[in-house]
Amino acid sequence: GGTIKPNLVYYNIYRQPDNKLVAEDVDGNSWQQFIETDLYRNYYYEVVGFYKGVEGATAVSNKLAFGEPRTIPYSLSFNSMDEYMQCIIYNANHDSGYWGWYQKEQCAAYSYDTFNQADDYLLIPAVKFEAGQTYKLRFKAKSYGGFLYPERMEVKMGKGQDINELNVTLIEDQPYPHDKYQVYEAVIENINETGAYFIAFHATTPR
């Protein structure tokens, strides 16, 4: 036991889903931030407490939606880091494999972990779909290892940006065995509700 001295308590605040440290060494019990964005996302905050320099528990705020979804037709070229930064990245198994931006070819690319199977998601900005309409997703993909070391990936979709909300499979988990770009397509149909939807590219390559 003992008495806590409030002047020795402070907090670091991270904004999610971009995992950005937005405030350090915050004291007191209130803090605010104005979000200026045109990207539709469900933002929330993780507050990490410290006492006498020792890290304590993390508290998580409620989620709030900001921004507007992209409208159809929509394309994302990945010609710049700025376009890549519009995406949401999840390293679900917390290893050294990740989705990043490959400057040489100006594309998003999965970099593998030598010891673990891939479990990494790249979510493009949310897109607005209309109920009852049919859409087509088209993208290019290749594997640098070609037929010898093909990458694997599935394409998912959902109304939320969390992994467990990506409950529609657009393309089943499959290998991508070509070392030259190939075009892949998926039909998006059976939209029951008009609104914002997230499309995710889930890397699943075995180690």
Side-chain angles (χ1 to χ4, degrees):
T3 302
I4 293 178
K5 298 180 180 180
N7 62 319
L8 297 178
V9 177
Y10 62 93
Y11 307 92
N12 288 350
I13 303 174
Y14 295 83
R15 188 181 66 205
Q16 301 295 352
D18 46 352
N19 197 35
K20 182 177 182 179
L21 177 63
V22 292
E24 288 185 274
D25 302 337
V26 176
D27 55 15
N29 55 15
S30 67
W31 178 84
Q32 64 180 3
Q33 179 186 44
F34 295 97
I35 296 178
E36 296 182 4
T37 181
D38 63 347
L39 285 174
Y40 178 88
R41 288 183 177 177
N42 292 312
Y43 289 95
Y44 63 98
Y45 294 84
E46 294 181 344
V47 182
V48 183
F50 292 84
Y51 182 63
K52 294 183 178 180
V54 178
E55 182 175 334
T58 298
V60 181
S61 73
N62 296 328
K63 294 181 180 180
L64 292 173
F66 288 90
E68 295 292 332
R70 301 299 194 238
T71 56
I72 301 297
Y74 171 67
S75 64
L76 187 65
S77 66
F78 291 104
N79 285 339
S80 68
M81 172 65 84
D82 289 340
E83 288 200 340
Y84 163 77
M85 293 297 293
Q86 296 176 24
C87 299
I88 298 173
I89 306 298
Y90 291 126
N91 183 350
N93 57 353
H94 307 289
D95 62 3
S96 63
Y98 63 94
W99 280 102
W101 185 64
Y102 187 33
Q103 184 176 10
K104 181 179 179 180
E105 296 204 17
Q106 295 184 325
C107 68
Y110 170 72
S111 178
Y112 68 92
D113 183 293
T114 304
F115 303 103
N116 295 299
Q117 176 173 331
D119 189 10
D120 296 80
Y121 293 78
L122 181 147
L123 282 66
I124 66 173
V127 178
K128 183 179 180 180
F129 292 142
E130 300 284 344
Q133 298 297 312
T134 299
Y135 303 91
K136 182 177 289 186
L137 170 69
R138 181 182 295 115
F139 63 94
K140 297 188 298 182
K142 69 176 181 178
S143 296
Y144 287 99
F147 288 95
L148 292 178
Y149 303 104
E151 302 289 347
R152 295 189 67 95
M153 183 174 67
E154 64 176 349
V155 182
K156 309 282 286 186
M157 186 181 79
K159 289 216 63 171
Q161 66 193 28
D162 293 342
I163 292 173
N164 59 7
E165 296 175 296
L166 301 169
N167 51 13
V168 177
T169 300
L170 299 179
I171 297 180
E172 299 283 350
D173 185 10
Q174 65 178 34
Y176 291 78
H178 302 282
D179 60 4
K180 304 295 183 184
Y181 279 117
Q182 305 292 313
V183 176
Y184 299 87
E185 295 183 346
V187 175
I188 302 173
E189 55 188 353
N190 299 322
I191 303 294
N192 296 320
E193 181 181 356
T194 297
Y197 290 80
F198 290 89
I199 294 174
F201 296 86
H202 178 206
T204 61
T205 306
R207 62 179 182 178

